[in-house]
Amino acid sequence: MLKTLDLNQVMVLDIETVPQYPSFQDVPPHLQELWEQKTHYQRNSEQTAEEFYEKAGIMAEFGKIICISLGIFYTEEKTNKLRIKSFADHDEHTILSQFSALLNKQPAALMFCAHNGKEFDFPYLCRRLLVNAIEIPFQLQLSGKKPWEVNHIDTMELWKFGDYKHYTSLNLLAAILDIPTPKDDINGSQVRQVYYEEKNLNRIVTYCQKDVITTAQVLLKFKGMDIIPEENITIVT
């Protein structure tokens, strides 16, 4: 499939998420109880539900999306280039509405690519769209589709080569494929702190965009192509 994959029909995607509330104390009591039940078997014997709440961002029931970054390949003067655009806001409904409106203008055959997207990004987006009462765009819908009709590419799944137990981070995959990545990134575990304590959404947007660029470069490697040099990557507002 990758040999014949038309990059111009691929949208690379990454999302950043945080807990819905700054701290466990801010969570409504009934949701505190549900959080305690949901995480009972994930917490070790010494962890309280409150201590574990910093991980709430990875669960769509208790988290929210604060940034969606997208990457589009295009060719100009026979040169492959990449254009990056982000939707970021403190109001999740605003982000998802903008994202949905963009997808509604795209062809139904548009393919998504993300690292660990099938386990995280794609289902998380669908769940939060549903919570926000926004219709799930056709490109994200799975119901009624046969596996080969689902236009989702997952670079982590590609690297597994059928090994369902194998997890490889995007940074590790980039390193072994000799893809240069910025050294000044925050990591995923710091997003909650940067958002709620530093109140620096722009820093998170930059981090999200860098992950999209890295994922795009990984996809090119899987296709046996050269990566796109920095001067051919454009970030649009």
Side-chain angles (χ1 to χ4, degrees):
M1 181 195 74
L2 290 181
K3 287 289 185 181
T4 59
L5 177 66
D6 182 1
L7 289 175
N8 294 322
Q9 298 300 315
V10 175
M11 178 179 284
V12 185
L13 177 149
D14 188 56
I15 66 174
E16 296 304 328
T17 65
V18 294
Q20 291 176 25
Y21 298 91
S23 72
F24 186 71
Q25 298 301 321
D26 298 309
V27 179
H30 70 288
L31 287 178
Q32 288 186 5
E33 293 178 13
L34 290 170
W35 170 255
E36 193 161 357
Q37 295 171 18
K38 172 83 172 178
T39 62
H40 177 73
Y41 294 106
Q42 298 177 41
R43 291 180 275 124
N44 62 46
S45 58
E46 298 178 354
Q47 274 184 311
T48 65
E50 181 175 357
E51 291 170 338
F52 199 71
Y53 185 69
E54 65 179 24
K55 298 184 182 296
I58 65 173
M59 301 182 193
E61 300 88 349
F62 298 94
K64 70 172 184 175
I65 297 170
I66 56 171
C67 180
I68 304 173
S69 290
L70 308 169
I72 292 290
F73 296 98
Y74 67 103
T75 304
E76 193 172 76
E77 297 179 354
K78 298 182 180 181
T79 301
N80 288 326
K81 297 186 176 182
L82 185 67
R83 181 180 292 113
I84 306 293
K85 180 176 179 60
S86 295
F87 299 111
D89 200 278
H90 301 294
D91 178 52
E92 184 183 51
H93 190 277
T94 297
I95 298 173
L96 293 175
S97 295
Q98 294 171 340
F99 174 64
S100 180
L102 175 67
L103 291 190
N104 289 335
K105 298 176 184 176
Q106 305 302 314
L110 178 72
M111 303 189 77
F112 280 125
C113 176
H115 190 76
N116 199 28
K118 291 185 178 182
E119 287 289 327
F120 184 69
D121 304 76
F122 306 145
Y124 201 112
L125 277 165
C126 291
R127 290 165 185 157
R128 296 310 302 173
L129 283 162
L130 185 62
V131 168
N132 283 272
I134 299 172
E135 184 176 356
I136 297 173
F138 179 82
Q139 298 91 340
L140 281 170
Q141 292 179 15
L142 301 180
S143 180
K145 291 183 180 178
K146 298 178 178 62
W148 56 87
E149 295 175 331
V150 178
N151 290 332
H152 295 169
I153 303 170
D154 189 328
T155 50
M156 192 176 82
E157 182 181 71
L158 291 174
W159 180 251
K160 285 181 177 181
F161 290 98
D163 181 358
Y164 291 101
K165 304 181 298 296
H166 198 77
Y167 175 83
T168 305
S169 70
L170 179 61
N171 283 343
L172 175 56
L173 192 52
I176 61 179
L177 293 177
D178 198 27
I179 297 170
T181 55
K183 304 301 182 184
D184 57 346
D185 282 343
I186 58 175
N187 60 54
S189 66
Q190 296 173 303
V191 170
R192 183 205 63 81
Q193 176 188 345
V194 172
Y195 182 73
Y196 280 119
E197 298 177 21
E198 296 183 17
K199 303 187 185 304
N200 193 342
L201 181 57
N202 288 336
R203 187 180 175 195
I204 295 169
V205 172
T206 299
Y207 167 61
C208 193
Q209 291 171 343
K210 289 176 180 177
D211 273 357
V212 167
I213 293 169
T214 302
T215 302
Q217 306 286 35
V218 167
L219 181 62
L220 290 171
K221 285 283 190 174
F222 273 113
K223 280 181 62 65
M225 300 173 63
D226 293 332
I227 63 174
I228 297 175
E230 186 176 350
E231 60 268 22
N232 289 338
I233 300 173
T234 304
I235 296 176
V236 297
T237 57

